[in-house]
Amino acid sequence: MTRAAWRAAANLTGLAVAAVVVFPIYWMVLSALKPSGEIQAADPLPWTGHPTLDHFRSALGVSGFARYFANSAIVASVVVVASALIAFLAAVALTRFQFRFRTVLLVMFLVAQMVPVEALTIPLFFLIRDLGRVAPMAGLNTLGSLMLVHLAFSLPFAIWMLRGFVAAVPESVLEAARIDGASQSGVLWRILFPLAAPGIAATSVFSFITSWNDFVFAKTFIIGTEHQTLPAALLVFFKPDENDWGGIMAASTLMTLPVLVFFVLVQRRLVAGLGGAVKD
Amino acid sequence: MNIARWAAIAVTAALTAGCAPSTADPTTSADAKTGTLTVWLYDEADRSPKEKVLADAVHEFTGQHKDVKVEISYIPTDPGPRAEKMKGAFNDPASAPDLAEFGNTDLAGYVAAGAMADLTSAIGSWDAAKDLPQDVKDAATVNGKMYGLPWWVGVRALYYRTDVFTELGITPPTSYAQLVDAARKVRKAKPKMLGIAVGGKYVFGALPFIWDAGGDLATESGGKYKAAIASDASKAGVKNYAALFAGDICPPEQCADLTGGKTVDAFAAGLAGMAILPNSSRGKVDAGATKGKYGVVPLPGAKPGSIAPAFAGGNDLGVLKSAKHRTLAIAFAELLASKKYQLAMYDAMGNLPTLSGARGAVVTKDKFLAPFVNTMSAGTRFVPNTPAWTTIDAQTVVPTMLQKVVAHKATVDAATAEAETAMNAAFGG
Amino acid sequence: MVSTAPPAAVDAVRGRRSTAPPRRRRGGRWTPLWLLLPAAAVMLPLFAYPLYQLGLLSVLDFGQEQVSGGVPTRYVGLDNYRTLLASPKFWDVLVQTVVFAAGCVGATLLVGGLLAVLMTRVWAAVRVVLSFSALAAWAAPAMTGSTVWMFLFDTNLGLVNHALGLGPHNWTYGKLSAFALVGAVVVWHSFPFVMITLYAGMQSVPGEVLEAATLDGASALTAFRRVTLPLLRPLVTIVVIQSVIWDFKVFTQVYVMTGGGGIAGQNLVLNVYAYEQAFAASDYSLGAAIGVVMSLVLLVLTVVYVRALHRRDGRL
């Protein structure tokens, strides 16, 4: 086969793979827009002539998905901001200073990612319950409890990934600022932070996912329904009677959209960060 | 001071603080007379009729009690999620409801978890209580104290499709052999239909077969339970139930994972020739394609003309020990269990009333109930009345056993032996 | 799209450290401590302490009677571990967890690696399309990925049964087919990370090195094996470790798609098993013991892998 033929075959394969990979997402959005009759039909069509927002309306209205969406958004925003700040500081300490146990700490952050979250749910459940007695804002059944645990479980990866970005800022820039008389905290917040900001944004995607996608903590800590978040609330749609696939797909679409937007916004930086996590 | 010392301090602090998670405070119930009364009720295959009755009851209740709001949540009824939900409430009194509906099989375990308030004196002074039959009261009693207000009872019988049976010239079965035969005929003539909808997770559908064969889950002597599920009689019953999971009746591919609720769905949607359903499924069936095309007979036993013993199901209303509105919770429970609302629940859901007066009224009025009443008179049975049953139920011992057998993942001998071991471990024997 | 190699990835691949030589800054030697303090304030109570309690719970008798029934907790030593090791079910679950995770890791790396190579061979436009579709799969939360695939493979209304003309085929009935379905979702979620990371790494292999190799008469394949692959090794390491960590801990997909472990628990993995022992069967201490075992398995796997690499290359 000629070089051109190879290349054409490669291109075709690439497009075919892309179509297969994106198909479930397409099917999700399509089914969310299909009228119920078409979903139940014996002959599913790969398009619809009668798009409807009924499933979105019923998800947001009847099933109270708007509230769960808001709960998820509040928790995720707090986690993203807090995690970015804390991880930035820790990453500075780990990259721009040499101290004893630095390597030990690094390894610990890697090992921390191996701990099975679901198993830790057991002691955390009791810890959060007891915490609720002294700090009702963070006890069981509160968004506060989710913020705390999501923060704790997003930090190891955030710190690990952010190191690369912080390290990439040339020391000479910071030195110049110091010569100009900037204070230590001035260098930290006015020079280093803005320069690492794109990386912080990329890192935030993963903190966001940790919080937004969390199913097991929400399911375990939130016993009532009022403070439930999206993933656990999605199980509401799996009713004892016939699954309401239109509603499930509409709710899934609503849940996927923010992550997708976030990913597209920071996609350029994602790889840089993941690559940066390799060093040491 | 350096990092190492800080780390040492942190570790020491963690270790000294490191005792086991505290056990819950001995909870005392509060008795606020205003505020929001929280109520957990079982979700239903079709929840709206229940919601309607509840809305009326709440309206009446808030009319009598000013400054009181009633918040009703519906909780899942599958054993696993239900157990998780209720346990969450026991572990965290702050998120627990004041009043909850629960199946009478769960009561002993909840009482052992220290979660339920003793209602003996409250029910004793309730006017309607004298109208409660003794056997119903017994099922809500643990160690001589009543912890539940019996709300409704239910037994299961055999629903069948009158149109399909007429078309194929079959009569409603009066023996196990006829049941199998009728199921085969239906599936043969209507390949899209299950001959009879049975489920691998449908314990209350399977128990009558075990009891009819002379077997049982466990035997009791002197207050100690011992598993009997691996006895020859029990195994024969399991085999009879499992024989229904066959390609020409209810293919294991479709039926091994069904719960009781899913068999209701299948029958209501017109996808099954027969199903073993409680009287309370009537509303759901009437809402589906099967409306007006079904009849009910008692589930037959192996001996021609006999009735297989049914499970004496029923739900109670109970006040949690951690309730913050004890008096209000009892008052609302008594309202829901009053003759008026028992009748309303019967009309909405087909739930059989617990009060003799109310039950008499519906039985004479509605001949639909005859097969259920006949089943009850033939004698009903119950699961082991011990806290250990809640553990066995939560560990899904019996559904796992049934699924292994019907999906051919283990022999009857192996599956029942495994279940027997697990049960005896829970019984502490 | 991700077409230019980002600096950090380049550095990583070239094995150059872009970190300025770490040295003690003026402003006091306590600075790193203060900078790490917020992280410590979160991680110690919410990560380290629960981890310690997990170990503690696993040597206690701690069930529902203890939690809310006022029964005192009791130290039982290694009884919970003995119960586990004597339980055939535990061994079944352990083995199928390892096999399932290994299958997922293998498939993820294979798919991700092949597609990364493919990306270097296609037009820029195709590359953008491929990257964006991968990004969409990557971004889909585990929960929604599970629901969509469940719908696609639904017994009665699923597109797949319809397209293949299978009738009401139940994909979660058979143990293997259920695991395969869940595995497909896991791979769909995780291959984009591998693909995009490895592609960026390949992009950053200096062109002149490859050219030199080709001039020396090496075929494209040989050049890839001899030049590109060794340079990619650090990236491959991290990708493997991350995949192992993620796939071994799959919870949502299994829990949701098989309804908590499948028919008679045939599709249980350790994570789901631990959770159900604790929160459904309320044997919190047995659940904790399973969690401890699982953490240890994961730790050992990773250490063995890293050491093997270290021995081969003399560096990480």
Side-chain angles (χ1 to χ4, degrees), chain B residues 65-125:
Chain B
H65 300 83
K66 299 292 169 206
D67 305 318
V68 174
K69 272 177 59 189
V70 182
E71 190 185 286
I72 293 169
S73 309
Y74 292 88
I75 64 168
T77 48
D78 284 349
R82 186 179 79 220
E84 285 168 25
K85 189 88 184 170
M86 290 303 287
K87 229 113 49 158
F90 301 164
N91 291 346
D92 178 43
S95 46
D98 295 307
L99 181 68
E101 174 187 5
F102 49 83
N104 50 13
T105 55
D106 283 341
L107 183 64
Y110 292 175
V111 170
M116 307 310 295
D118 177 6
L119 300 179
T120 316
S121 66
I123 295 175
S125 59

Side-chain angles (χ1 to χ4, degrees), chain C residues 213-224:
Chain C
T214 327
L215 284 180
D216 288 349
S219 69
L221 194 67
T222 318
F224 181 78

Side-chain angles (χ1 to χ4, degrees), chain B residues 1 3 6 10 14-15 17-21 23-24 83-84 87 90-91 113 252-253 256-257 394-395 400 403-404 407 409, chain C residues 30 33 44 49 52-53 56-57 60 62 64 66-69 168-170 173 255 262-264 266 275 279-282 284:
Chain B
M1 205 154 62
I3 293 268
W6 272 95
L15 285 175
C19 41
T23 51
E84 285 168 25
K87 229 113 49 158
F90 301 164
N91 291 346
E253 271 219 0
D257 217 21
Q395 288 174 339
T400 302
Q403 287 192 317
K404 282 195 172 168
K409 295 188 190 293
Chain C
W30 305 125
L33 179 64
L44 286 178
Y49 182 62
Y52 161 75
Q53 286 226 317
L56 188 65
L57 274 176
L60 296 176
F62 200 71
Q64 198 56 40
Q66 282 76 22
V67 176
S68 60
H169 176 70
N170 183 354
Y173 177 69
Y255 189 90
I263 291 168
Q266 62 178 2
Y275 187 86
F279 289 101
S282 55
Y284 299 99

Side-chain angles (χ1 to χ4, degrees), chain A residues 259-268, chain C residues 132 135:
Chain A
V259 198
L260 203 55
V261 170
F262 210 149
F263 258 77
V264 170
L265 285 180
V266 299
Q267 43 96 1
R268 263 172 206 290
Chain C
F132 266 102
L135 211 57

Side-chain angles (χ1 to χ4, degrees), chain B residues 1-73:
Chain B
M1 205 154 62
N2 59 15
I3 293 268
R5 200 171 304 164
W6 272 95
I9 288 172
V11 168
T12 322
L15 285 175
T16 44
C19 41
S22 70
T23 51
D25 294 326
T27 45
T28 45
S29 57
D31 201 4
K33 300 292 197 304
T34 56
T36 303
L37 182 72
T38 50
V39 182
W40 283 6
L41 300 177
Y42 276 14
D43 205 353
E44 305 286 345
D46 177 14
R47 189 205 288 168
S48 48
K50 188 170 184 173
E51 272 179 318
K52 238 179 122 265
V53 176
L54 261 297
D56 291 345
V58 168
H59 185 73
E60 179 172 341
F61 189 72
T62 47
Q64 295 161 355
H65 300 83
K66 299 292 169 206
D67 305 318
V68 174
K69 272 177 59 189
V70 182
E71 190 185 286
I72 293 169
S73 309

